[in-house]
Amino acid sequence: MAKARTTYFCRNCGYQSAKWLGRCPECGQWNTFEEEIVAAKVSGKKNPALSPSFESFPKKLTEIRLEDETRINLRNDELNRVLGGGLVPGSVVLVGGEPGIGKSTLMLQMALQKMGLKVLYVSGEESEQQIKMRSARLGAGNDDFYLLTETSAEAIFTHVAKLNPQVIIIDSIQTLHTDELETSAGSVSQIRECANRLQQYAKQTNVPVFLIGHITKEGQLAGPKLLEHMVDVVLQFEGDRNYGYRILRSMKNRFGSTSELGIFQMTGTGLRQVSNPSEILISQKDEHLSGVTIAATIEGMRPMLIETQALVSSAAYGVPQRSTTGFDPRRLNMLLAVLEKRSGFRLATKDVFLNIAGGIRVDDPAIDLAVVSAILSSNEDMPVNPKTCFAAEVGLSGEIRAVNRIEQRISEAEKLGFEKIFLSKYNFKKGSPKHFNIEVVSVAKIEDVFRRLFG
Ligand code: TYD
Ligand code: MG
């Protein structure tokens, strides 16, 4: 018997190699190669839905009519925003995230809304009963919602050809398999082949397709990374599972900006859209606690005031601990080194714990000053006025650096009733602004901040 021909694929990025490799030359990951059987494709069984029905020929750009961009309103402001103002017909959107974060809930909830479109939800993970139960909780309002529990790509396309849905949701791409390949569902070649067919279908029929893809921290499943270049939009759903808040980030968008993000809260009746994030990310307490400060950040395009909490205490055992939630631990170490070396605060022998409220990951460097102030506040055991907020980056020499879109940050703080905002003095070279109803404190060094807060 002839030996089946096999090849090796990188689970992370889909790189193909004839032999096993320890490290992927494409994405640099270790130990990601898996053997897969590559059988010749079964010929003569072409899916009728996929055969090209149009003749392609080169056209002059000037001859191509610019069609009005019609976007589908998904009746979900946060989703519309992340997609760049609604869903583009014929686009393929990948929704990635860790298992249990709420991807199915997000898609189901969107599909169940009255949007006047025929939606097909294909689930390879949950039974009809499970989805029915869940949809009862989410409040179903779409009469044109069809559910199909199926994992075979051929069967799905047969149903799609009969039903002619206007939106298709696949939950998840890792559960699909096509009979044309002998490998099991979830393998690199299966994922790629199934996604490819769905993509062709979307482009030929102008029907938008959502693909749900799981990401695991350990990368045990073939990652959605290998799909990233095939799809039009990549959305990532993230958040700390122990907290209710979820952020939907746009990682790639052929039809809009990638700096948009949507914020949701997971409740007992599904995901709630959070249109004013600042109000929920600040825990309203009356007592003044040390180690708590508010940062005026901008995530994506949206200003958000976020609470940062620090706890500094003497290290009981030898090596001091540093632990963070929602903040880069290396950045914390850098800020601690600056405090130690440039400003003379003795923190090397202390444990430092840092939390960003809501378990939300913050990338904005403007949070630095709030983090440093929270650490100093906890170290001195002196509270910072809760009506004060901060927006500046801290540099390696302890200088307070300017951040972008400062007017937007100040007006958000002002709108939420803050009385004072600390900024870098380099943000306003031409004198401090007069038109704000909030006291603007310009600082140049960490020592200035310390003096203004606790001096
Ligand atoms: P799910 O959408 O199944 O996650 P994923 O598809 O990303 O794996 O959501 C899983 C979690 O969401 C689950 O732990 C329960 C919780 N949840 C709620 O808290 N409220 C709800 O209304 C729903 C539907 C789910
Ligand atoms: Mg799911």
Side-chain angles (χ1 to χ4, degrees):
M1 203 179 87
K3 197 170 171 283
R5 204 166 71 79
T6 64
T7 186
Y8 292 84
F9 284 104
C10 167
R11 226 188 298 122
N12 188 43
C13 68
Y15 182 84
Q16 189 176 350
S17 161
K19 57 183 198 308
W20 189 86
L21 298 171
R23 181 171 187 263
C24 176
E26 183 78 18
C27 65
Q29 293 283 317
W30 288 91
N31 216 6
T32 53
F33 275 85
E34 266 175 12
E35 188 174 20
E36 286 185 14
I37 302 162
V38 280
K41 286 195 179 175
V42 186
S43 56
K45 248 177 71 181
K46 264 210 143 192
N47 194 317
L50 293 178
S51 53
S53 54
F54 54 85
E55 276 176 30
S56 56
F57 55 91
K59 281 186 207 162
K60 267 190 175 173
L61 187 63
T62 47
E63 286 169 5
I64 300 173
R65 205 160 46 87
L66 187 67
E67 288 174 22
D68 278 346
E69 202 191 51
T70 44
R71 297 228 179 193
I72 300 167
N73 181 355
L74 296 171
R75 314 256 169 230
N76 183 322
D77 291 345
E78 300 294 301
L79 249 173
N80 281 339
R81 183 211 312 274
V82 177
L83 290 170
L87 181 63
V88 174
S91 61
V92 180
V93 181
L94 175 68
V95 181
E98 287 175 31
I101 205 76
K103 302 179 294 299
S104 304
T105 310
L106 179 72
M107 288 292 110
L108 197 59
Q109 204 169 343
M110 175 195 85
L112 288 170
Q113 261 163 44
K114 255 200 196 74
M115 48 176 165
L117 296 174
K118 194 193 272 183
V119 184
L120 176 65
Y121 190 98
V122 183
S123 178
E125 305 207 326
E126 280 151 298
S127 69
E128 286 175 6
Q129 284 303 315
Q130 277 173 313
I131 296 172
K132 176 81 192 172
M133 266 159 53
R134 190 182 278 208
S135 63
R137 230 179 336 143
L138 297 174
N142 188 356
D143 290 336
D144 258 353
F145 177 85
Y146 290 84
L147 177 64
L148 174 66
T149 48
E150 180 61 72
T151 55
S152 150
E154 284 72 23
I156 291 170
F157 276 114
T158 310
H159 289 299
V160 163
K162 267 191 246 157
L163 187 69
N164 274 322
Q166 289 161 293
V167 178
I168 301 176
I169 300 164
I170 305 288
D171 186 3
S172 65
I173 186 70
Q174 277 117 339
T175 57
L176 291 201
H177 69 86
T178 160
D179 297 340
E180 290 192 6
L181 299 174
E182 282 182 14
T183 50
S184 59
S187 64
V188 171
S189 39
Q190 284 282 4
I191 290 180
R192 194 185 276 164
E193 179 64 24
C194 292
N196 206 356
R197 287 220 215 160
L198 285 160
Q199 201 243 12
Q200 280 179 26
Y201 180 81
K203 293 290 166 275
Q204 287 174 17
T205 59
N206 234 8
V207 171
V209 177
F210 283 93
L211 304 176
I212 294 181
H214 292 295
I215 307 173
T216 52
K217 279 212 185 91
E218 303 78 29
Q220 290 145 344
L221 292 164
K225 211 174 165 57
L226 68 102
L227 296 177
E228 276 173 14
H229 62 276
M230 289 169 59
V231 302
D232 301 302
V233 181
V234 179
L235 303 181
Q236 190 163 318
F237 207 36
E238 56 182 51
D240 193 317
R241 257 203 282 170
N242 302 320
Y243 296 89
Y245 301 111
R246 303 280 182 273
I247 289 190
L248 187 66
R249 283 180 207 269
S250 156
M251 316 298 279
K252 165 182 174 177
N253 192 348
R254 285 192 181 141
F255 319 107
S257 144
T258 51
S259 54
E260 287 294 356
L261 86 175
I263 303 170
F264 298 89
Q265 184 182 15
M266 183 64 93
T267 68
T269 52
L271 290 158
R272 187 178 71 84
Q273 300 175 42
V274 176
S275 43
N276 183 5
S278 300
E279 279 176 13
I280 52 159
L281 295 173
I282 300 170
S283 54
Q284 279 104 6
K285 284 190 220 86
D286 287 336
E287 342 117 69
H288 294 190
L289 300 171
S290 69
V292 177
T293 58
I294 311 287
T297 66
I298 291 190
E299 277 293 296
M301 305 297 282
R302 306 171 76 177
M304 277 204 277
L305 277 96
I306 299 187
E307 186 174 297
T308 64
Q309 306 164 341
L311 179 66
V312 178
S313 69
S314 299
Y317 314 98
V319 185
Q321 296 184 58
R322 268 84 217 260
S323 148
T324 63
T325 312
F327 192 72
D328 181 4
R330 282 170 305 181
R331 184 104 195 140
L332 173 66
N333 281 333
M334 189 280 271
L335 293 175
L336 290 173
V338 168
L339 284 174
E340 180 94 25
K341 178 98 182 167
R342 304 284 180 199
S343 313
F345 295 100
R346 307 252 68 94
L347 297 165
T349 57
K350 306 227 169 136
D351 288 341
V352 180
F353 305 96
L354 187 75
N355 272 5
I356 307 298
I360 281 182
R361 179 169 66 86
V362 178
D363 293 331
D364 186 1
I367 199 171
D368 281 0
L369 189 57
V371 168
V372 163
S373 306
I375 292 168
L376 293 177
S377 161
S378 177
N379 194 40
E380 300 295 317
D381 202 15
M382 283 166 74
V384 172
N385 185 342
K387 292 275 173 220
T388 298
C389 61
F390 303 84
E393 191 182 336
V394 174
L396 280 181
S397 55
E399 81 277 20
I400 309 297
R401 308 181 58 167
V403 287
N404 60 3
R405 307 230 290 281
I406 198 71
E407 270 92 4
Q408 212 180 337
R409 298 172 198 266
I410 302 176
S411 19
E412 180 75 2
E414 185 186 349
K415 203 169 80 197
L416 291 168
F418 281 84
E419 290 162 2
K420 210 185 261 190
I421 181 164
F422 278 72
L423 325 162
S424 162
K425 84 169 192 205
Y426 306 107
N427 257 126
F428 294 108
K429 288 209 183 78
K430 302 174 211 85
S432 98
K434 295 279 183 303
H435 54 284
F436 289 110
N437 226 341
I438 177 172
E439 187 189 343
V440 174
V441 185
S442 306
V443 284
K445 286 206 300 270
I446 290 178
E447 289 87 325
D448 301 347
V449 185
F450 186 83
R451 220 175 307 116
R452 298 295 292 258
L453 288 175
F454 316 110

